[in-house]
Amino acid sequence: MARQGQGEGATDRVLAVLADGAVHSGEVLAAQAGVSRAAVWKAVERLRHAGHDIEAVPGRGYRAVAPYPPLDRAELVERLAMAPRELDLRVFREVDSTNAVLRRDPPREDRVGVAVAERQTAGRGRRGRGWCSPPGGIYLSVSWPYAHLACGPGGLTLTVGVFLAEVLRSLGIARAGVKWPNDIWVDGRKLAGVLTELDGDPMGACRVTVGVGLNWRVGGGWPEDFAGSAVGIADLAPGCERTQTAAAMLNAVTEACHTAPSAGERILGARWRAVDLLAGEAVIVRIGDRAVEGQALGIDDDGALLVDSPEGRQRFVSGDVSVRPR
Ligand code: BTN
């Protein structure tokens, strides 16, 4: 992994040994990770502090509860659709926010920036909210340069959602779909979210940072209020491998970024309708203090949500949508 501080190499090696979920004695861990017993203890403390559930089994050693294998940079590079020379790829064990890091320190003008992290300490969500980013999730961002972004960041978000849902379906998550504007849901639970941030003017040269937060396994260590409404890839498709999944998600985002400016309308047509989870549902759209109830009708050519309400047809360019139980 890139950009490690002192001790992080040892911590990663200890984590890699614990990734099989078996109990390992301190002695075996030290030998396999190539570190001292004291360094094993420190590594375990660091991992726990970072949110890993590591159990001490009396008289036997340590065991990672629901472990995940770390992302493998070399394999990621191999699986990415874009050539390494086109990319500025950064892989982090921990970072504040993959979106923030690409905006703070943008890639060279002619490169596409890609940041992937195992954990974020200040993950950002839509509408200024935070994004819960415990270790094991997949947090990725793509920074894409445009000479002109006809569909605007909103249209790009929808396009990315379509590509992500299609890839998730191809990975075996057949009921993955998009809840307008930026959520990927499966059976009423959130699997992923998209945050698109724009630097510059979409009518001229600009850069868009598209961030995707994908839950891996929802359970121990998650705040209770999230746990009931979220679901992870490993919960739904236990055969999915982390690095392969991260690469597939990144390829979906880069393909969406590549396609959006010229073909937004086509993509937001039949392909949108095939993954749209709201059309036909009874919804409540909240914007500030206002709440509008009605039936979702899909989106218009500009990506706005259409809702048939008692006051007539309404059009929303932003807002929080909840689905009313049938
Ligand atoms: C949402 O509010 O649903 C969007 C969440 C987007 C979270 C991702 S995680 C990777 C990238 N980095 C961030 O800080 N946020 C996005």
Side-chain angles (χ1 to χ4, degrees), residues 1 68-72 92-94 116-120 133-139 242:
M1 313 293 285
Y68 63 86
L71 294 168
D72 180 331
F92 300 91
R93 194 162 65 78
E94 178 183 299
V116 190
E118 305 272 7
R119 172 176 187 246
Q120 298 183 120
S133 309
I138 297 177
Y139 311 103
R242 288 186 83 240

Side-chain angles (χ1 to χ4, degrees), residues 31-45:
Q32 292 192 350
V35 297
S36 66
R37 292 284 298 274
V40 166
W41 184 83
K42 270 193 203 143
V44 168
E45 285 309 298

Side-chain angles (χ1 to χ4, degrees), residues 50-138:
H52 294 264
D53 191 356
I54 298 179
E55 185 186 29
V57 184
R60 294 181 56 206
Y62 298 102
R63 179 180 86 91
V65 182
Y68 63 86
L71 294 168
D72 180 331
R73 185 190 169 98
E75 192 190 340
L76 196 60
V77 170
E78 227 167 78
R79 290 184 177 274
L80 289 181
M82 292 185 70
R85 71 187 139 71
E86 300 173 289
L87 296 173
D88 172 349
L89 172 66
R90 313 173 197 181
V91 183
F92 300 91
R93 194 162 65 78
E94 178 183 299
V95 71
D96 56 347
S97 147
T98 52
N99 264 36
V101 78
L102 288 177
R103 296 180 74 203
R104 209 164 46 221
D105 179 15
R108 247 175 52 180
E109 224 170 86
D110 56 338
R111 295 275 168 96
V112 168
V114 173
V116 190
E118 305 272 7
R119 172 176 187 246
Q120 298 183 120
T121 53
R124 302 205 317 229
R126 194 170 150 252
R127 298 165 81 84
R129 298 180 186 126
W131 178 256
C132 177
S133 309
I138 297 177

